[in-house]
Amino acid sequence: MDMNEYTKSITQVFSKKGWLNASDIKSLEKIIAFGESIDDESRNMIIELMSQYKKISWNVYTNCIIKAIEKIPIDKYKDIKTFYVLPIITREDKGKPKSSPTVAYAFKSPEISEHPFFSGKEIIVNDETSLPQNITNSSTKMVILVDDFIGTGETVLTYLNETDKVKNISNNKIVFIFIAGMEAGIKKLEDKHFSVFCNFTQKKGISDLSDVEKQRKFSFLMKRIEQQFEINEKFEFGYGHSEALISLIRTPNNTFPVFWDSKHNKNAPFERK
């Protein structure tokens, strides 16, 4: 795919997805410039990956949370009277700007707190210090752990292991709600018998392609691009080899780094700031 065709195709992708505001146009300009530094085959791959790409902006967060809530079977939790909503923040991330407190705070909004699922129930939004000691043995109390995105699931498991008040709660007394997530990370939690509800899920961008020939070709091309841009091996194919194709308030490092790592690719279209 030559540059003229690439420019036309990538512009069509942005137009079809409705990415037309000022920041989107800047991203479009960057990904076009990025195309000038890679070969024809790689441009074709970028077009296909961008066709799968998902952007979730802040103004739809509340609606996305509601959609995740609506996947929860009401009957399963009909006896619960109090939900404790906690943001997932590891010790290492405390004090850093994280999106999970924003997601947790959204549960105070009327759109969520007055949703039929929570009818007649109390929602307490706080951190683990608000948790009573008897949740595991209580038939009327439940914990909801929230974040906007789950990638590998490692951050969640770290949080569970290091947060004493949460660590001591039975898995069946904890519900996870995410706006978006990778299927592999969600499965990691479900394998531990946690209930997980997520508005949008995504498979690995290359490894989960059904076309084996294309999977091999794209894997080779992406490795070559990452070598060309000297991507840190920690983030090859996205952190934990997640192969995500998504941006939220902030692009997660689970996404292919050529899309967000502006330190190595100055034309990364969805810079992780």
PDB file of all heavy atoms in Angstrom, residues 135-157:
ATOM      1  N   ILE A 135     -17.659  -8.845  56.104  1.00  0.00           N
ATOM      2  CA  ILE A 135     -18.277  -8.946  54.778  1.00  0.00           C
ATOM      3  C   ILE A 135     -18.404 -10.391  54.310  1.00  0.00           C
ATOM      4  O   ILE A 135     -19.440 -10.802  53.775  1.00  0.00           O
ATOM      5  CB  ILE A 135     -17.495  -8.106  53.749  1.00  0.00           C
ATOM      6  CG1 ILE A 135     -17.745  -6.627  54.019  1.00  0.00           C
ATOM      7  CG2 ILE A 135     -17.920  -8.464  52.323  1.00  0.00           C
ATOM      8  CD1 ILE A 135     -17.122  -5.697  53.034  1.00  0.00           C
ATOM      9  N   THR A 136     -17.373 -11.185  54.507  1.00  0.00           N
ATOM     10  CA  THR A 136     -17.412 -12.572  54.028  1.00  0.00           C
ATOM     11  C   THR A 136     -18.599 -13.334  54.604  1.00  0.00           C
ATOM     12  O   THR A 136     -19.233 -14.135  53.914  1.00  0.00           O
ATOM     13  CB  THR A 136     -16.102 -13.302  54.372  1.00  0.00           C
ATOM     14  OG1 THR A 136     -15.035 -12.716  53.613  1.00  0.00           O
ATOM     15  CG2 THR A 136     -16.197 -14.778  54.032  1.00  0.00           C
ATOM     16  N   ASN A 137     -18.920 -13.071  55.844  1.00  0.00           N
ATOM     17  CA  ASN A 137     -20.012 -13.799  56.499  1.00  0.00           C
ATOM     18  C   ASN A 137     -21.358 -13.073  56.449  1.00  0.00           C
ATOM     19  O   ASN A 137     -22.345 -13.550  56.991  1.00  0.00           O
ATOM     20  CB  ASN A 137     -19.641 -14.058  57.971  1.00  0.00           C
ATOM     21  CG  ASN A 137     -18.418 -14.943  58.100  1.00  0.00           C
ATOM     22  OD1 ASN A 137     -18.251 -15.890  57.339  1.00  0.00           O
ATOM     23  ND2 ASN A 137     -17.558 -14.616  59.052  1.00  0.00           N
ATOM     24  N   SER A 138     -21.364 -11.932  55.767  1.00  0.00           N
ATOM     25  CA  SER A 138     -22.594 -11.152  55.687  1.00  0.00           C
ATOM     26  C   SER A 138     -23.379 -11.513  54.428  1.00  0.00           C
ATOM     27  O   SER A 138     -22.819 -11.641  53.344  1.00  0.00           O
ATOM     28  CB  SER A 138     -22.273  -9.652  55.672  1.00  0.00           C
ATOM     29  OG  SER A 138     -23.445  -8.904  55.403  1.00  0.00           O
ATOM     30  N   SER A 139     -24.677 -11.669  54.560  1.00  0.00           N
ATOM     31  CA  SER A 139     -25.531 -11.975  53.409  1.00  0.00           C
ATOM     32  C   SER A 139     -26.075 -10.704  52.765  1.00  0.00           C
ATOM     33  O   SER A 139     -26.756 -10.758  51.746  1.00  0.00           O
ATOM     34  CB  SER A 139     -26.711 -12.851  53.843  1.00  0.00           C
ATOM     35  OG  SER A 139     -27.495 -12.172  54.814  1.00  0.00           O
ATOM     36  N   THR A 140     -25.743  -9.538  53.366  1.00  0.00           N
ATOM     37  CA  THR A 140     -26.316  -8.283  52.869  1.00  0.00           C
ATOM     38  C   THR A 140     -25.255  -7.279  52.402  1.00  0.00           C
ATOM     39  O   THR A 140     -25.595  -6.164  52.013  1.00  0.00           O
ATOM     40  CB  THR A 140     -27.168  -7.608  53.955  1.00  0.00           C
ATOM     41  OG1 THR A 140     -26.338  -7.301  55.083  1.00  0.00           O
ATOM     42  CG2 THR A 140     -28.316  -8.517  54.379  1.00  0.00           C
ATOM     43  N   LYS A 141     -23.977  -7.677  52.441  1.00  0.00           N
ATOM     44  CA  LYS A 141     -22.906  -6.756  52.056  1.00  0.00           C
ATOM     45  C   LYS A 141     -22.052  -7.344  50.934  1.00  0.00           C
ATOM     46  O   LYS A 141     -21.838  -8.550  50.879  1.00  0.00           O
ATOM     47  CB  LYS A 141     -22.024  -6.416  53.263  1.00  0.00           C
ATOM     48  CG  LYS A 141     -22.766  -5.628  54.328  1.00  0.00           C
ATOM     49  CD  LYS A 141     -21.935  -5.462  55.581  1.00  0.00           C
ATOM     50  CE  LYS A 141     -22.724  -4.659  56.606  1.00  0.00           C
ATOM     51  NZ  LYS A 141     -22.306  -4.883  57.964  1.00  0.00           N
ATOM     52  N   MET A 142     -21.572  -6.465  50.066  1.00  0.00           N
ATOM     53  CA  MET A 142     -20.801  -6.900  48.899  1.00  0.00           C
ATOM     54  C   MET A 142     -19.787  -5.816  48.551  1.00  0.00           C
ATOM     55  O   MET A 142     -20.020  -4.623  48.799  1.00  0.00           O
ATOM     56  CB  MET A 142     -21.744  -7.111  47.716  1.00  0.00           C
ATOM     57  CG  MET A 142     -21.173  -7.924  46.594  1.00  0.00           C
ATOM     58  SD  MET A 142     -21.502  -9.681  46.881  1.00  0.00           S
ATOM     59  CE  MET A 142     -20.550 -10.405  45.571  1.00  0.00           C
ATOM     60  N   VAL A 143     -18.671  -6.227  47.962  1.00  0.00           N
ATOM     61  CA  VAL A 143     -17.643  -5.285  47.526  1.00  0.00           C
ATOM     62  C   VAL A 143     -17.628  -5.229  45.997  1.00  0.00           C
ATOM     63  O   VAL A 143     -17.664  -6.258  45.322  1.00  0.00           O
ATOM     64  CB  VAL A 143     -16.250  -5.693  48.044  1.00  0.00           C
ATOM     65  CG1 VAL A 143     -15.163  -4.807  47.453  1.00  0.00           C
ATOM     66  CG2 VAL A 143     -16.210  -5.633  49.567  1.00  0.00           C
ATOM     67  N   ILE A 144     -17.584  -4.002  45.462  1.00  0.00           N
ATOM     68  CA  ILE A 144     -17.410  -3.808  44.019  1.00  0.00           C
ATOM     69  C   ILE A 144     -16.067  -3.120  43.808  1.00  0.00           C
ATOM     70  O   ILE A 144     -15.836  -2.011  44.315  1.00  0.00           O
ATOM     71  CB  ILE A 144     -18.531  -2.941  43.409  1.00  0.00           C
ATOM     72  CG1 ILE A 144     -19.890  -3.620  43.570  1.00  0.00           C
ATOM     73  CG2 ILE A 144     -18.250  -2.664  41.930  1.00  0.00           C
ATOM     74  CD1 ILE A 144     -21.055  -2.788  43.045  1.00  0.00           C
ATOM     75  N   LEU A 145     -15.162  -3.762  43.089  1.00  0.00           N
ATOM     76  CA  LEU A 145     -13.857  -3.184  42.763  1.00  0.00           C
ATOM     77  C   LEU A 145     -13.893  -2.685  41.326  1.00  0.00           C
ATOM     78  O   LEU A 145     -14.344  -3.415  40.432  1.00  0.00           O
ATOM     79  CB  LEU A 145     -12.750  -4.227  42.946  1.00  0.00           C
ATOM     80  CG  LEU A 145     -12.576  -4.785  44.362  1.00  0.00           C
ATOM     81  CD1 LEU A 145     -11.463  -5.830  44.401  1.00  0.00           C
ATOM     82  CD2 LEU A 145     -12.273  -3.661  45.351  1.00  0.00           C
ATOM     83  N   VAL A 146     -13.434  -1.462  41.103  1.00  0.00           N
ATOM     84  CA  VAL A 146     -13.609  -0.852  39.779  1.00  0.00           C
ATOM     85  C   VAL A 146     -12.326  -0.250  39.213  1.00  0.00           C
ATOM     86  O   VAL A 146     -11.427   0.165  39.938  1.00  0.00           O
ATOM     87  CB  VAL A 146     -14.693   0.245  39.825  1.00  0.00           C
ATOM     88  CG1 VAL A 146     -16.018  -0.321  40.314  1.00  0.00           C
ATOM     89  CG2 VAL A 146     -14.266   1.425  40.701  1.00  0.00           C
ATOM     90  N   ASP A 147     -12.300  -0.198  37.886  1.00  0.00           N
ATOM     91  CA  ASP A 147     -11.267   0.521  37.130  1.00  0.00           C
ATOM     92  C   ASP A 147     -11.819   0.702  35.728  1.00  0.00           C
ATOM     93  O   ASP A 147     -12.833   0.080  35.369  1.00  0.00           O
ATOM     94  CB  ASP A 147      -9.951  -0.271  37.116  1.00  0.00           C
ATOM     95  CG  ASP A 147      -8.739   0.636  36.880  1.00  0.00           C
ATOM     96  OD1 ASP A 147      -8.930   1.800  36.478  1.00  0.00           O
ATOM     97  OD2 ASP A 147      -7.604   0.166  37.087  1.00  0.00           O
ATOM     98  N   ASP A 148     -11.145   1.523  34.931  1.00  0.00           N
ATOM     99  CA  ASP A 148     -11.665   1.695  33.574  1.00  0.00           C
ATOM    100  C   ASP A 148     -11.176   0.599  32.635  1.00  0.00           C
ATOM    101  O   ASP A 148     -11.827   0.297  31.639  1.00  0.00           O
ATOM    102  CB  ASP A 148     -11.361   3.088  33.017  1.00  0.00           C
ATOM    103  CG  ASP A 148      -9.876   3.397  32.863  1.00  0.00           C
ATOM    104  OD1 ASP A 148      -9.044   2.640  33.417  1.00  0.00           O
ATOM    105  OD2 ASP A 148      -9.539   4.412  32.219  1.00  0.00           O
ATOM    106  N   PHE A 149     -10.032  -0.049  32.978  1.00  0.00           N
ATOM    107  CA  PHE A 149      -9.469  -1.037  32.057  1.00  0.00           C
ATOM    108  C   PHE A 149      -8.736  -2.136  32.809  1.00  0.00           C
ATOM    109  O   PHE A 149      -8.063  -1.879  33.807  1.00  0.00           O
ATOM    110  CB  PHE A 149      -8.495  -0.330  31.099  1.00  0.00           C
ATOM    111  CG  PHE A 149      -7.858  -1.248  30.078  1.00  0.00           C
ATOM    112  CD1 PHE A 149      -8.575  -1.679  28.978  1.00  0.00           C
ATOM    113  CD2 PHE A 149      -6.545  -1.662  30.214  1.00  0.00           C
ATOM    114  CE1 PHE A 149      -8.000  -2.524  28.032  1.00  0.00           C
ATOM    115  CE2 PHE A 149      -5.957  -2.501  29.286  1.00  0.00           C
ATOM    116  CZ  PHE A 149      -6.684  -2.932  28.184  1.00  0.00           C
ATOM    117  N   ILE A 150      -8.869  -3.361  32.334  1.00  0.00           N
ATOM    118  CA  ILE A 150      -8.057  -4.477  32.819  1.00  0.00           C
ATOM    119  C   ILE A 150      -7.302  -5.057  31.631  1.00  0.00           C
ATOM    120  O   ILE A 150      -7.902  -5.377  30.600  1.00  0.00           O
ATOM    121  CB  ILE A 150      -8.907  -5.573  33.513  1.00  0.00           C
ATOM    122  CG1 ILE A 150      -8.009  -6.770  33.888  1.00  0.00           C
ATOM    123  CG2 ILE A 150     -10.098  -6.000  32.667  1.00  0.00           C
ATOM    124  CD1 ILE A 150      -8.701  -7.827  34.727  1.00  0.00           C
ATOM    125  N   GLY A 151      -5.985  -5.143  31.790  1.00  0.00           N
ATOM    126  CA  GLY A 151      -5.149  -5.682  30.721  1.00  0.00           C
ATOM    127  C   GLY A 151      -4.761  -7.121  31.006  1.00  0.00           C
ATOM    128  O   GLY A 151      -5.529  -8.047  30.780  1.00  0.00           O
ATOM    129  N   THR A 152      -3.580  -7.310  31.588  1.00  0.00           N
ATOM    130  CA  THR A 152      -3.125  -8.667  31.907  1.00  0.00           C
ATOM    131  C   THR A 152      -3.798  -9.207  33.164  1.00  0.00           C
ATOM    132  O   THR A 152      -3.828 -10.419  33.387  1.00  0.00           O
ATOM    133  CB  THR A 152      -1.604  -8.692  32.137  1.00  0.00           C
ATOM    134  OG1 THR A 152      -1.292  -7.883  33.282  1.00  0.00           O
ATOM    135  CG2 THR A 152      -0.853  -8.168  30.917  1.00  0.00           C
ATOM    136  N   GLY A 153      -4.285  -8.319  34.005  1.00  0.00           N
ATOM    137  CA  GLY A 153      -4.862  -8.732  35.296  1.00  0.00           C
ATOM    138  C   GLY A 153      -3.845  -8.686  36.426  1.00  0.00           C
ATOM    139  O   GLY A 153      -4.189  -8.862  37.592  1.00  0.00           O
ATOM    140  N   GLU A 154      -2.575  -8.419  36.095  1.00  0.00           N
ATOM    141  CA  GLU A 154      -1.519  -8.421  37.108  1.00  0.00           C
ATOM    142  C   GLU A 154      -1.734  -7.333  38.161  1.00  0.00           C
ATOM    143  O   GLU A 154      -1.529  -7.561  39.360  1.00  0.00           O
ATOM    144  CB  GLU A 154      -0.150  -8.241  36.448  1.00  0.00           C
ATOM    145  CG  GLU A 154       0.314  -9.447  35.650  1.00  0.00           C
ATOM    146  CD  GLU A 154       1.686  -9.238  35.030  1.00  0.00           C
ATOM    147  OE1 GLU A 154       2.391  -8.292  35.433  1.00  0.00           O
ATOM    148  OE2 GLU A 154       2.040 -10.007  34.123  1.00  0.00           O
ATOM    149  N   THR A 155      -2.131  -6.141  37.728  1.00  0.00           N
ATOM    150  CA  THR A 155      -2.352  -5.043  38.670  1.00  0.00           C
ATOM    151  C   THR A 155      -3.451  -5.396  39.655  1.00  0.00           C
ATOM    152  O   THR A 155      -3.336  -5.138  40.860  1.00  0.00           O
ATOM    153  CB  THR A 155      -2.723  -3.750  37.913  1.00  0.00           C
ATOM    154  OG1 THR A 155      -1.619  -3.355  37.094  1.00  0.00           O
ATOM    155  CG2 THR A 155      -3.060  -2.623  38.883  1.00  0.00           C
ATOM    156  N   VAL A 156      -4.515  -5.998  39.147  1.00  0.00           N
ATOM    157  CA  VAL A 156      -5.634  -6.388  40.010  1.00  0.00           C
ATOM    158  C   VAL A 156      -5.170  -7.406  41.048  1.00  0.00           C
ATOM    159  O   VAL A 156      -5.480  -7.282  42.243  1.00  0.00           O
ATOM    160  CB  VAL A 156      -6.791  -6.975  39.182  1.00  0.00           C
ATOM    161  CG1 VAL A 156      -7.903  -7.462  40.094  1.00  0.00           C
ATOM    162  CG2 VAL A 156      -7.331  -5.937  38.208  1.00  0.00           C
ATOM    163  N   LEU A 157      -4.437  -8.416  40.611  1.00  0.00           N
ATOM    164  CA  LEU A 157      -3.990  -9.456  41.536  1.00  0.00           C
ATOM    165  C   LEU A 157      -3.009  -8.900  42.571  1.00  0.00           C
ATOM    166  O   LEU A 157      -3.028  -9.309  43.739  1.00  0.00           O
ATOM    167  CB  LEU A 157      -3.355 -10.607  40.760  1.00  0.00           C
ATOM    168  CG  LEU A 157      -4.310 -11.384  39.839  1.00  0.00           C
ATOM    169  CD1 LEU A 157      -3.569 -12.500  39.106  1.00  0.00           C
ATOM    170  CD2 LEU A 157      -5.481 -11.970  40.646  1.00  0.00           C
TER     171      LEU A 157
END
